[in-house]
Amino acid sequence: MQRSSLHNPYPVIEKDGVLSFGGNQAWSDSAVMRKCGCGVIGGTDLLLYLSLHKDICRTELFQEAYLENGILELPEYMSYVNCFRKKYLPVIPHFGMAGWMLVLGLNRYFRHERIRLRAVFGVLPRNLWVRISAMLAHDIPVILLVGPNFPFVWGKHRLNMYHRSQEGEYSPSCQIKAHFVTVTGMDDTWMRVSSWGKEYYINRQEYFNYVKKHSSFLISNICYIKSRK
């Protein structure tokens, strides 16, 4: 079984004595963020991870990000979230953020910090798993959009996310649509993702089927990041 994974620990934030797996929009004081802020969290976690673990992406903004034990304090983390929302990743009330809005913000940040990376939203369906695997191999988290139903955007079809037990068994945990998650690992069957500060798993075939039957690869796809020449 082929496996791809990030090379370093994904950001950990401590809230009320509980450690997270990435950020959670529910921590925000803003009602708009709590409802529609998953794209801001995905972008913040991505840029935080790159700045901490890739030399070409280090910036002064994240210079003091981690405590000595490798855990981020919640107030500090939320200051990053609010900064990126204000400067690069705006959220539209009742709508959230489209994939193209996310990559515009990321590219604006890359240009401002003179980081030689470029983000694009969407790859061809036949290249989806190859691109995700390649990004993970280059130690880049993969923001994945589980888009809304299309063309009937108010449809009720959703995608399962699973919990993995210590024994390696997968059980359905929740369902999502119109939601950004971040892929941190993948094998032939499953994607390990961060969402709402927790670790979940998405079945690759179920994701592909959801997009083909109930959404579209134009709006359900990945944020593909590559070197800029």
Side-chain angles (χ1 to χ4, degrees), residues 17-119:
V18 178
L19 301 183
S20 77
F21 184 64
N24 184 350
Q25 62 265 36
W27 297 334
S28 178
D29 294 331
S30 163
V32 172
M33 270 294 296
R34 292 194 298 271
K35 183 176 177 61
C36 307
C38 53
V40 181
I41 296 298
T44 300
D45 287 0
L46 166 72
L47 298 176
L48 173 61
Y49 183 92
L50 292 178
S51 184
L52 291 171
H53 301 304
K54 294 184 79 69
D55 290 344
I56 65 167
C57 299
R58 287 181 180 163
T59 65
E60 292 185 3
L61 178 64
F62 293 119
Q63 199 166 21
E64 303 295 332
Y66 272 135
L67 300 177
E68 292 183 1
N69 58 1
I71 299 171
L72 201 63
E73 290 184 324
L74 179 62
E76 186 177 18
Y77 175 78
M78 290 309 302
S79 73
Y80 296 138
V81 171
N82 294 332
C83 173
F84 281 113
R85 181 188 174 194
K86 180 179 179 181
K87 291 185 176 181
Y88 302 105
L89 302 171
V91 178
I92 300 175
H94 310 295
F95 176 78
M97 182 185 300
W100 63 268
M101 295 172 61
L102 174 64
V103 299
L104 281 178
L106 294 177
N107 285 328
R108 198 156 55 240
Y109 173 82
F110 291 149
R111 288 193 299 270
H112 182 265
E113 298 294 340
R114 300 187 178 184
I115 297 171
R116 300 193 65 81
L117 293 175
R118 179 172 177 264

